[in-house]
């Protein structure tokens, strides 16, 4: 069974640009979550989507947004990029239940903002 | 103060040693506790998943949760150089997938 797939693997952008990251969950998984990982702040939760609806959100500015498609694939968008947005962006998928859920991560997209 | 505290290390041990990794937390609502392993330039890989207090064993790995002390541990027996990675504890209160992670402990197992 294929794991969580994230594309692209690496991205270089300049300040002010916007970027879109893509995530394909494990087959049969309906929940997709996004996390940001930086050396200073560690892993932080961005948001979670289930059945094309955002059902949970972390403490990030509105420049960070996402969406989920009917096939459970998800995209994350960051507008007006800042230097501090340089990070590893990780996508994780799960079956989509409420409590007892195991979360499986992709390898991430490494974003560098210059 | 962070909700989850984890010593970032680094921790260096000889091959074959028993490794003990720990996290403390402040939110008594946490019910689900996880340990992830992350190799350089890779995503976190789920190692252990525990609900509430107690012990769980899987091969060379043992996870312990003590909710009364708000303390969780991961033990690695007969450590191998391939265990060299960053180990992240994570937990959630329940409901959906908002995990709170520790900072991660870098482990190096030398031959």
């Amino acid at each position: 069974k294929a794991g969580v797939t994230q594309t692209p693997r690496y991205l270089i952008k300049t300040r002010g640009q916007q970027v879109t990251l893509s995530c394909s969950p494990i087959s049969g998984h309906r929940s997709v979550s996004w996390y940001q990982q930086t050396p200073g702040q560690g892993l932080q939760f961005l948001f979670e989507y289930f059945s094309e609806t955002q059902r949970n959100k972390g403490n990030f500015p509105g420049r960070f947004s996402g969406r989920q498609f009917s096939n459970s694939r998800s995209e994350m968008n960051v507008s007006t990029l800042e230097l501090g947005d340089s990070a590893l962006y990780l996508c994780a998928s799960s079956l989509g239940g409420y409590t007892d859920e195991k979360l499986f991560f992709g390898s991430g997209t490494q974003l560098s903002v210059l | 103060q962070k909700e989850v505290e984890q010593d970032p290390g680094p921790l260096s041990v000889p091959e074959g040693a028993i490794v003990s990794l720990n996290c403390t937390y402040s939110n008594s609502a946490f019910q689900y506790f996880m340990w992830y392993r992350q190799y350089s330039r890779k995503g976190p890989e789920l190692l252990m998943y525990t609900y509430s207090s107690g012990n769980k064993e899987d091969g060379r790995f043992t996870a312990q949760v003590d909710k009364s002390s708000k303390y969780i541990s991961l033990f690695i027996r007969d450590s191998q150089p391939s265990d060299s990675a960053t180990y992240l504890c994570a937990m959630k209160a329940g409901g959906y997938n908002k995990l709170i992670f520790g900072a991660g402990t870098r482990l190096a197992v030398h031959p």
Side-chain angles (χ1 to χ4, degrees):
Chain A
K1 199 180 218 185
V4 179
T5 304
Q6 291 188 247
T7 56
R9 189 75 179 86
Y10 301 94
L11 264 179
I12 299 175
K13 293 286 186 180
T14 56
R15 277 184 302 172
Q17 288 186 311
Q18 76 165 21
V19 67
T20 299
L21 314 181
S22 180
C23 172
S24 293
I26 293 171
S27 178
H29 284 194
R30 298 171 63 196
S31 167
V32 173
S33 303
W34 288 89
Y35 287 78
Q36 181 195 66
Q37 187 174 29
T38 61
Q41 298 299 316
L43 265 154
Q44 293 183 285
F45 173 78
L46 281 156
F47 30 67
E48 180 192 6
Y49 286 86
F50 176 77
S51 289
E52 303 178 63
T53 300
Q54 185 184 92
R55 67 179 184 183
N56 210 347
K57 189 177 187 302
N59 297 323
F60 279 82
R63 300 186 296 107
F64 293 83
S65 63
R67 59 177 176 169
Q68 186 180 33
F69 302 95
S70 59
N71 61 358
S72 295
R73 193 177 69 83
S74 177
E75 287 181 348
M76 190 193 106
N77 186 75
V78 187
S79 63
T80 318
L81 283 166
E82 301 177 359
L83 295 178
D85 296 333
S86 294
L88 179 66
Y89 289 89
L90 292 158
C91 167
S93 75
S94 70
L95 287 168
Y98 181 76
T99 52
D100 190 12
E101 284 287 291
K102 294 180 181 179
L103 208 57
F104 298 91
F105 283 85
S107 292
T109 294
Q110 183 68 53
L111 172 65
S112 298
V113 182
L114 307 178
Chain B
Q1 186 187 2
K2 291 187 175 183
E3 278 190 284
V4 180
E5 298 283 355
Q6 183 178 10
D7 187 337
L11 182 62
S12 181
V13 301
E15 184 175 353
I18 297 175
V19 176
S20 172
L21 304 166
N22 312 293
C23 288
T24 59
Y25 62 94
S26 58
N27 189 345
S28 57
F30 287 144
Q31 299 183 70
Y32 299 88
F33 304 91
M34 290 135 272
W35 286 95
Y36 283 85
R37 177 176 63 195
Q38 186 174 25
Y39 292 110
S40 180
R41 296 186 177 86
K42 296 286 188 181
E45 171 193 9
L46 182 63
L47 281 177
M48 302 292 283
Y49 181 94
T50 310
Y51 170 67
S52 195
S53 286
N55 294 357
K56 187 171 184 178
E57 188 173 319
D58 184 1
R60 297 184 295 111
F61 299 91
T62 299
Q64 290 184 349
V65 175
D66 182 349
K67 290 188 70 179
S68 63
S69 302
K70 297 190 179 67
Y71 188 87
I72 71 170
S73 301
L74 177 70
F75 297 94
I76 307 174
R77 291 182 298 280
D78 187 25
S79 56
Q80 302 295 311
S82 59
D83 294 329
S84 299
T86 295
Y87 290 80
L88 298 145
C89 64
M91 45 199 81
K92 67 175 183 175
Y96 309 146
N97 288 319
K98 182 179 180 178
L99 300 185
I100 307 300
F101 281 86
T105 299
R106 280 194 297 144
L107 171 67
V109 181
H110 51 85

